[in-house]
Amino acid sequence: MKCQFCNQEMPNGAKFCYKCNKQIICLGCGEPLIANSPICVYCGKEIKLRQVQANVNHIKYSETETGKSFEASFSDETAGNVVDVFAQFLPIKRNPSTQQHQSLLRISQTEDANAQEVVDPAIEINNINPGNTEDLNKINNIFTVKGESIVLYEKRLKANSKRDQQARICLLFLLYYKVVVRKEVTREDVNNILKKENIYDGGFRAWLSKHRSYIIADNDTLELSPEGEEKAKEILNEVFDKTIEGAWKSNGGSGQTTTAKVSSKRKNPQLVRDLDLMPKNKETLDVFMEHYKYGKSSPQINLLFVYYLKQILCIDAVNQDHIYTCYRHLKLTIPNDIYQSLIDTISKKGWIENVSNLNVTTQGINEVEQKMKIQ
């Protein structure tokens, strides 16, 4: 079903549209409403418009010894050039973490500004992000503003391939726009930031088409779906996790790529001795594999192994050692470089993700349950 007000695709049974925030089904009789009608034409129930409360933002300033202080409150609707106006008399120390807010906030008029004594001498901008403050600080360290452009500041995104780097930049960029800029993102915006990193190509367009569950596309604009936002925050946490290493990085922005050195552990996977692939109370790996067609394709075998370990055995942390153990158990031909085999399955197929903690994507689940299963 579609919203009759903005034409947004909605799940069956939805009563309100998350995009335009309007009621689409009568809460009395359950029939669809007619756009702009003040009543339900089926039961006559009056339709009350939902009120959206405006966010209130706060800025505080204080200066030691001199006794100067300042505090202002303003809504999003009246926000406009706030930092540019007040920066003329506030001694703001700019850094990458706060520069985005100072450049992107604007103020057209001042409302409800009352000066009072402030204890904290720092500038505070509250309610910029409706979510977690820690997430806001992290995403502000990924991107920075130069002139009128937003550019990638932290390039070490823990990617495992060029395609993975493209995906990570795209999802983090959409997350940045959602929690900081609060503005729609166009396809051109996303393409431009990839072009600045010299990694934009046709493969990225193919990735977009394969991961529609992550992104909501409306004409020429893009935004994160709830699943996409979860994935973007997962990537954000990986970037600042010192225990995770990426296997791919750009070479000085030249467009060439180099592969990071792979540890000896990755080159030489080990058997997981306590991995029980013949459990008594669950389906064994041997029986599980009999239900699927896979031939000698390493990506398909990798997918089935990860699916079995995560979905059947419910193992929290799955890595290349677990996959290696599965190959050995079934006496299948092991890829010469099992780590690279997993990377290729991630980048070329999109069936699995996160080589350091493997998981099956929605696309991978569909591949196993809809295409590979023997009917």
Side-chain angles (χ1 to χ4, degrees), residues 18 54 56 65 141 150 201:
Y18 65 84
V56 178
E65 296 183 1
N141 287 321
I150 297 173
D201 56 26

Side-chain angles (χ1 to χ4, degrees), residues 105-157:
L105 287 175
R106 296 288 182 265
I107 188 166
S108 57
Q109 65 183 45
T110 305
E111 287 187 351
D112 301 329
N114 300 301
Q116 68 179 50
E117 188 66 27
V118 182
V119 177
D120 189 353
I123 297 293
E124 294 182 5
I125 302 181
N126 300 324
N127 206 30
I128 294 297
N129 174 30
N132 191 298
T133 303
E134 183 180 357
D135 289 342
L136 176 63
N137 293 334
K138 287 179 179 178
I139 198 67
N140 271 325
N141 287 321
I142 300 291
F143 299 96
T144 188
V145 177
K146 286 189 177 180
E148 297 182 354
S149 300
I150 297 173
V151 298
L152 187 66
Y153 178 73
E154 173 58 77
K155 300 178 185 289
R156 299 165 296 181
L157 301 183

Side-chain angles (χ1 to χ4, degrees), residues 172-190:
L172 290 173
F173 188 66
L174 293 175
L175 180 65
Y176 178 82
Y177 260 77
K178 180 171 184 177
V179 303
V180 178
V181 186
R182 293 188 177 184
K183 180 183 176 183
E184 288 185 329
V185 186
T186 66
R187 291 177 183 269
E188 186 178 3
D189 291 330
V190 176

Side-chain angles (χ1 to χ4, degrees), residues 48 115 187 242 324 345 355:
K48 295 181 180 180
R187 291 177 183 269
K242 295 181 180 179
Y324 173 75
T345 306
V355 71

Side-chain angles (χ1 to χ4, degrees), residues 292-312:
Y292 301 92
K293 51 185 178 182
Y294 53 88
K296 297 181 179 180
S297 169
S298 293
Q300 288 185 324
I301 295 173
N302 291 339
L303 168 62
L304 288 171
F305 285 167
V306 177
Y307 183 96
Y308 176 79
L309 295 169
K310 297 294 289 188
Q311 303 289 331
I312 307 300

Side-chain angles (χ1 to χ4, degrees), residues 26 29 38-47:
C26 177
C29 64
I39 64 170
C40 172
V41 299
Y42 296 96
C43 68
K45 183 179 179 63
E46 182 180 357
I47 308 302

